[in-house]
Amino acid sequence: MTKNKINMPITGIATFAKYPYVDDINNLNADIAILGIPYDTGVGFLSGTRFGPRRIREVSTHYGRGGAGFYDPENDEQLLADPVKIVDVGDADVVHGDIEGSFDAITEAVKAIRSKGAMPVMMGGDHSVTIPIARAYDDLEDLTVVQFDAHLDWSDAPGGQSLGNGSPMRRMSEMKHIGKMVQIGLRGLGSSRREDFEAAKDYGSLLISAKEAKELGPKEVIDKVPDSKQYYVTIDIDAFDISLATGTGSPSPGGFFYDELIDMLTELAQKGEIVGFDLVETAPQYDPTNGTTRVAAMTMLHFMSQIEKYKK
């Protein structure tokens, strides 16, 4: 008789939350597929987000629960339990220094996940990876994008580089299938230029500062998000306050605390269909406590649980 494995967090291979690993997306059969994007060629100052996916996976093994799912004591419910099926499909096949080749690989991987009927969940990587991710949704129409971020990310092309981590929202605004945008958590002197804010407003993006969001509260913030058939969500780890997320290239004071941001994600999950999300800009080497990677892993698990809970 074979003894059942105890499967402690410290044992085994470090997939995200110890979910099963699928090495060939062609064999994918799941509700949610986790994709790492270890890419930081888009960074102009502090690099290191290429190590984000690996370190988030490592710390997430602490929370592995498998098919039993997670018990939420505050709401007395079980989340992400069977029959919800979640897998880790490894990383996009990026190559350092090859921007377009890496972007093509990212788009291809996200499209492959979607073609199998799974919702893609990406962990970066710098914020430029949201550009090729968004390209993978070009079969949709009028897709609404909700961004949680300290920064506007509407830079055009400094020095001719149009695919940097300061430009994903502007690049998405140029895609025909992208519709409305909402940008939540903006703050900080000098985080973006006046002309970038003006360009975002001209596009019609709804801009909500961190201070305004805190004054309104989670429900009132998400009530401002336009009704839409489908939403894509991009979360920069620096949306959190610097006290929670030092492990990033541009940490900023005045950001959200954990409950504030996850409560907004919960409200958003109830508002409409989430077709995917990414969590980017975790640079673990700047946080030796591993607090930032834990916040990243728990944010991903929470949002996944709420999406599945409120899935229509």
Side-chain angles (χ1 to χ4, degrees), residues 30-261:
D31 298 294
I32 298 174
I34 312 294
L35 176 71
I37 307 177
Y39 174 95
D40 60 8
T41 306
V43 174
F45 191 54
L46 294 176
S47 62
T49 58
R50 71 179 67 183
F51 298 107
R54 182 166 293 183
R55 294 289 291 278
I56 293 170
R57 282 189 175 104
E58 182 180 332
V59 76
S60 75
T61 61
H62 195 175
Y63 308 113
R65 299 292 184 273
F70 300 83
Y71 176 63
D72 178 2
E74 294 173 317
N75 296 293
D76 189 24
E77 59 185 351
Q78 203 74 10
L79 301 169
L80 295 181
D82 288 337
V84 176
K85 189 172 182 181
I86 303 170
V87 300
D88 188 326
V89 295
D91 294 331
D93 195 21
V94 301
V95 177
H96 62 284
D98 185 354
I99 297 175
E100 287 294 352
S102 294
F103 275 25
D104 288 345
I106 295 166
T107 301
E108 180 181 353
V110 177
K111 281 194 171 187
I113 292 170
R114 295 187 62 231
S115 73
K116 294 297 181 179
M119 183 187 74
V121 172
M122 282 64 60
M123 48 185 173
D126 73 62
H127 215 157
S128 70
V129 304
T130 305
I131 300 169
I133 292 171
R135 292 174 181 171
Y137 288 85
D138 61 358
D139 58 307
L140 302 182
E141 294 182 0
D142 201 29
L143 179 62
T144 296
V145 176
V146 181
Q147 173 199 20
F148 294 91
D149 202 321
H151 307 97
L152 187 68
D153 289 351
W154 211 280
S155 178
D156 192 4
Q161 174 53 279
S162 63
L163 301 176
N165 69 339
S167 303
M169 303 307 287
R170 186 186 284 264
R171 295 289 84 83
M172 282 191 284
S173 75
E174 298 163 351
M175 300 179 190
K176 292 182 179 180
H177 61 287
I178 301 297
K180 300 179 181 66
M181 287 190 185
V182 182
Q183 300 174 250
I184 303 168
L186 307 171
R187 63 190 188 274
L189 296 177
S191 64
S192 294
R193 301 180 306 169
R194 179 190 293 272
E195 49 264 43
D196 294 336
F197 273 93
E198 292 172 349
K201 291 175 182 177
D202 288 343
Y203 176 81
S205 186
L206 174 60
L207 309 181
I208 302 175
S209 70
K211 186 174 182 179
E212 180 185 359
K214 287 170 176 284
E215 291 172 348
L216 288 171
K219 186 178 187 307
E220 288 72 17
V221 170
I222 302 305
D223 281 346
K224 287 180 171 289
V225 174
D227 291 335
S228 180
K229 183 179 178 181
Q230 294 166 315
Y231 298 93
Y232 183 83
V233 182
T234 179
I235 307 166
D236 189 319
I237 198 71
D238 69 25
F240 288 105
D241 187 73
I242 192 173
S243 61
L244 293 180
T246 58
T248 185
S250 301
S252 179
F256 297 119
F257 295 116
Y258 183 72
D259 286 344
E260 292 172 327
L261 199 147

Side-chain angles (χ1 to χ4, degrees), residues 7-19 21 57-58 61:
N7 197 24
M8 293 293 286
I10 199 63
T11 65
I13 304 301
T15 61
F16 183 82
K18 302 200 78 171
Y19 285 118
Y21 173 54
R57 282 189 175 104
E58 182 180 332
T61 61

